[in-house]
Amino acid sequence: MGALHLITAGESHGPGLTCIVEGLPAGLEINRAAIDRDLARRQLGHGRGGRMKIERDRVEVTGGIRHGRTLGSPVALQVENLDYANWKERMDPWPVEGEVVEVHLPRPGHADLVGTQKYGLGDVRDVLERASARETAARVAGGAVAKALLSSFGVQVFSHVTQIGAVRAPQRRDLGPEDFAGVDDSPVRCLDADAGELMVEEINRLRKANESLGGTFEVLAFGVVPGLGSYASWQERLDGQLGQAILSIQAIKAAAIGDGAEVAGVPGSHAHDEIFWDEQRGYYRETNRAGGLEGGMTTGEPLVVRAWMKPLPTLTKPLRSVDTETHEPAEALRERTDSTTVPAAGVVGEAMVAFVLADAYRRKFGGDHIEDALSALRSYEQRIGWRRSAH
Ligand code: EPS
């Protein structure tokens, strides 16, 4: 379906992760530091566990880029798992001499149990290693490449945390790119300093009680041209594609565009964004309840995507489960884990939104070289009289 493809491979404690991005134009400038910056941002956040002290995620490129520019061939990105050194025997791709201890205690809320049933695997580790959110490091590397494409089209993608556990930040409807300059300085990537402090306290309190925490985050994209996606076919509707991309992130249970579920309860006259036009700005809205999407298409207003994350299912105080060998009641696997990863999930959300938008730009404007894509975009912007700076 799409014009751009992103595929990941790799297990959490295996040798490393791979991301292949296929369908990029040639001539696109890629900055290694920008990919590494996003990888590092994904490792941040108060509430991370011991693993993040081991990893220093950095990208290695093994295909598709030469001297900092794409070649038009698939781009292959690798992120090493430094922890593999401690797991070599248990995760070696090839047979090993010694006995390797198996896991038979599936965690409720994880892929563990059904994964073993579906794939006919006796060792839960064969499932959990791939189901782990470590995989998102590969998505973020690919997402950084998608962001490079978007940036040449004048699009910027940001995220911020809006809730952790029971602590919510005040809702902001007036955000612009400039508001995100310091978001990564907050230990929970929250734009509201007071709420951020309360979130940190909430994490500390629940961590002591051996609990994990969920939360919500918002991804915003600025400078998106109107008309990406389409109302004409259900598969082309961009809200559907964004929903799939966001809900595919480990532990995400709900996604919304703009005011999302909230508009279900308000009268129609308060649910939509009235249309205005003036010489300088062209068409514009004074509100953005629709989150930049109408009829499955971008409107030119900022794209707003929200996501709800469940508390992580690996608990230091494990839930009841069943031993898959003996079928006896047992406690679920107790493993080193994070207390919360909502701040990191926001960075993963950026990557997924960037990928969906980059794919939509590729489909609409094509072009084998980035300059071809840019001239197609410019001529379209001119035809519809769209002025990016006014939105
Ligand atoms: C994860 C468990 C933890 C997390 C991991 C996801 O890893 P470990 O079992 O090695 O402590 O840290 O996330 C990452 C490694 C990462 O890079 O985000 C899980 O079970 O999903």
Side-chain angles (χ1 to χ4, degrees):
M1 250 284 293
L4 194 67
H5 302 275
L6 185 154
I7 181 166
T8 74
E11 278 68 41
S12 180
H13 303 97
L17 302 161
T18 302
C19 181
I20 294 184
V21 184
E22 188 196 25
L24 290 163
L28 174 68
E29 199 176 318
I30 304 288
N31 180 335
R32 181 182 196 166
I35 306 178
D36 284 342
R37 198 177 315 127
D38 270 1
L39 287 171
R41 291 172 64 233
R42 195 203 66 92
Q43 291 201 262
L44 291 175
H46 189 71
R48 281 294 216 164
R51 177 74 185 272
M52 288 305 110
K53 295 193 177 72
I54 299 171
E55 303 298 341
R56 290 280 171 278
D57 293 343
R58 284 178 61 80
V59 75
E60 288 297 334
V61 174
T62 54
I65 299 178
R66 181 162 178 250
H67 301 158
R69 287 195 185 270
T70 54
L71 299 170
S73 51
V75 168
L77 308 161
Q78 317 273 346
V79 180
E80 196 185 345
N81 287 331
L82 298 179
D83 205 14
Y84 178 58
N86 308 315
W87 288 75
K88 180 126 182 27
E89 195 175 29
R90 281 173 289 177
M91 291 305 295
D92 197 310
W94 307 113
V96 290
E97 292 289 318
E99 182 88 7
V100 173
V101 180
E102 293 195 350
V103 178
H104 301 131
L105 304 171
R107 293 159 296 172
H110 226 284
D112 299 355
L113 178 59
V114 185
T116 55
Q117 293 177 303
K118 177 176 165 67
Y119 289 98
L121 301 167
D123 183 354
V124 173
R125 181 154 304 286
D126 286 336
V127 175
L128 69 85
E129 283 289 335
R130 176 64 183 165
S132 161
R134 174 78 186 145
E135 183 260 348
T136 60
R139 299 199 207 191
V140 166
V145 172
K147 280 183 188 173
L149 180 67
L150 292 177
S151 155
S152 65
F153 298 147
V155 176
Q156 292 174 285
V157 183
F158 302 97
S159 72
H160 64 118
V161 169
T162 45
Q163 180 180 346
I164 290 188
V167 181
R168 278 170 208 247
Q171 199 172 36
R172 296 273 307 267
R173 289 174 181 275
D174 56 343
L175 293 170
E178 62 287 351
D179 291 304
F180 291 89
V183 66
D184 294 320
D185 299 335
S186 157
V188 282
R189 308 196 58 257
C190 178
L191 291 176
D192 186 277
D194 295 338
E197 270 179 42
L198 292 173
M199 287 174 186
V200 168
E201 283 171 25
E202 175 90 335
I203 295 166
N204 293 344
R205 188 174 68 79
L206 283 162
R207 180 160 52 186
K208 272 193 208 112
N210 292 311
E211 287 288 1
S212 60
L213 302 89
T216 65
F217 63 84
E218 199 169 71
V219 180
L220 292 96
F222 299 96
V224 182
V225 75
L228 299 180
S230 174
Y231 60 87
S233 295
W234 67 265
Q235 299 99 323
E236 294 283 322
R237 287 184 176 259
L238 207 71
D239 27 18
Q241 292 172 9
L242 286 164
Q244 203 280 329
I246 290 290
L247 288 166
S248 76
I249 301 171
Q250 291 82 341
I252 301 299
K253 302 310 289 181
I257 309 292
D259 283 0
E262 286 167 40
V263 289
V266 302
S269 60
H270 289 74
H272 302 290
D273 305 303
E274 291 178 303
I275 301 171
F276 304 95
W277 187 91
D278 71 28
E279 195 71 47
Q280 222 209 333
R281 297 163 75 181
Y283 291 110
Y284 68 94
R285 318 293 175 105
E286 287 185 341
T287 53
N288 186 20
R289 296 160 174 145
L293 275 171
E294 281 177 338
M297 297 171 293
T298 52
T299 61
E301 298 301 318
L303 183 72
V304 183
V305 182
R306 297 185 181 149
W308 284 255
M309 185 177 204
K310 69 182 180 182
L312 299 175
T314 309
L315 296 174
T316 42
K317 182 177 66 185
L319 296 175
R320 285 179 291 179
S321 182
V322 170
D323 187 310
T324 52
E325 288 271 283
T326 64
H327 295 163
E328 291 296 326
E331 282 189 347
L333 175 68
R334 194 191 299 258
E335 276 218 322
R336 172 184 65 190
T337 184
D338 308 302
S339 311
T340 192
T341 53
V342 184
V347 179
V348 181
E350 289 172 26
M352 297 314 289
V353 168
F355 171 72
V356 171
L357 288 177
D359 175 47
Y361 270 95
R362 291 300 287 143
R363 263 183 286 162
K364 184 154 172 54
F365 301 105
D368 294 318
H369 191 277
I370 184 66
E371 287 303 329
D372 303 341
L374 280 170
S375 22
L377 173 63
R378 273 186 222 115
S379 97
Y380 171 73
E381 284 179 347
Q382 209 163 18
R383 174 167 74 72
I384 65 168
W386 192 61
R387 303 142 175 101
R388 187 180 307 123
S389 54
H391 293 268

